[in-house]
Amino acid sequence: MNTLNKTKYLMNKYNINPTKKFGQNFLIDDNILQNIVDASNITEDDIVIEIGPGLGNLTQYLIEKAKFVILIEIDNSMIGVLEDRFKEYQNYKILNQDILKINLDELTREYNSSNIKVVANLPYYITTPILFKLLQESSDIKEITVMVQKEVAKRMVAPCKTKDYGILTLMVEYLAIPEIKFFVPNSSFIPSPNVESAIINLKKEKRYNVKDENVLFDLIHSAFAMRRKKMINSLEQAHFLNMNKEDIKKFVNICGLTDNVRAEELSINEYIKLADKISETKNK
Ligand code: SAM
């Protein structure tokens, strides 16, 4: 049975109505599912975490390819479906939990593997918090391949000085190497979402040195708090490190930037330079 017919069969058998509350859009196109697995570079030695398995359409492919799959699903009406569907397999475990409440460091430590991959068709209502969590927690997670809204994928790879360039771009640039793999038509899902989708692959890798990461992250978030304003005003109004405007101006100027500079005009290297100058003084 192909995935489209399997989905209809399971929805009917278990009386499942996809709910918007949990961002449920089930993937029904076998070519796309195969392409996601190919884009994720998983091998038979890999531990994979799947966020939101739903009816198990992507899981079916992952479970056949990986050594072990950890399924994290918030909706308890999916748990019985998954258990029935995969009863012949031993290489998986289901956690009926909210991904945002899971301690990923603790979870991954149990598996004693330093090469864990995440593969998921993400629930779009919480894409950004999930991405930040995956990027910042657990150094054992090395690679992330996820379906996101096309707009979000574009933000992750946006060039400096464009409207898509922002907090997500800079955090991704600092913590990973992003690559948009392909776009996915709305017709590949049931129900069909009203936004376009893309598969993005993120290889976690820190390519920059920073004195104090917390200062850098706080700086980036505060700089974009009011992105249409001058950066010094945005930093002041976001109470960045409780600094006053004169001090902020001083650091911005030391880094060779003008008072008029806006958040989207700074590259990651300029943010790091500014954060480092501020950290040096803070720690004196
Ligand atoms: N993987 C399935 C597929 O591709 O057909 C379903 C993907 S659907 C876009 C998103 C899934 O994430 C749903 O199964 C939904 O119940 C689940 N989900 C939503 N919020 C979640 C959360 N906070 N933690 C874990 N799973 C969540």
Side-chain angles (χ1 to χ4, degrees), residues 106-131:
E106 260 173 35
L107 174 70
T108 54
R109 209 173 299 134
E110 272 177 49
Y111 291 87
N112 205 12
S113 163
S114 57
N115 190 20
I116 296 179
K117 290 174 180 152
V118 172
V119 186
N121 170 16
L122 290 180
Y124 290 170
Y125 73 106
I126 43 171
T127 304
T128 317
I130 294 178
L131 286 171

Side-chain angles (χ1 to χ4, degrees), residues 22-24 26-27 50 52-54 73-74 98-99 121 125-126:
F22 291 138
Q24 290 174 348
F26 304 126
L27 257 172
E50 188 193 357
E73 173 58 64
I74 198 169
D98 179 345
I99 177 65
N121 170 16
Y125 73 106
I126 43 171

Side-chain angles (χ1 to χ4, degrees), residues 132-171:
F132 282 168
K133 187 178 173 81
L134 296 174
L135 288 168
Q136 289 180 270
E137 283 182 25
S138 182
S139 56
D140 292 335
I141 296 176
K142 292 283 165 20
E143 198 167 333
I144 302 159
T145 307
V146 282
M147 178 94 72
V148 296
Q149 282 174 240
K150 191 175 177 179
E151 292 315 309
V152 176
K154 282 181 162 170
R155 272 162 48 204
M156 284 192 252
V157 298
C160 194
K161 298 179 189 162
T162 61
K163 75 168 177 25
D164 286 336
Y165 184 80
I167 298 171
L168 185 61
T169 326
L170 286 154
M171 293 295 282

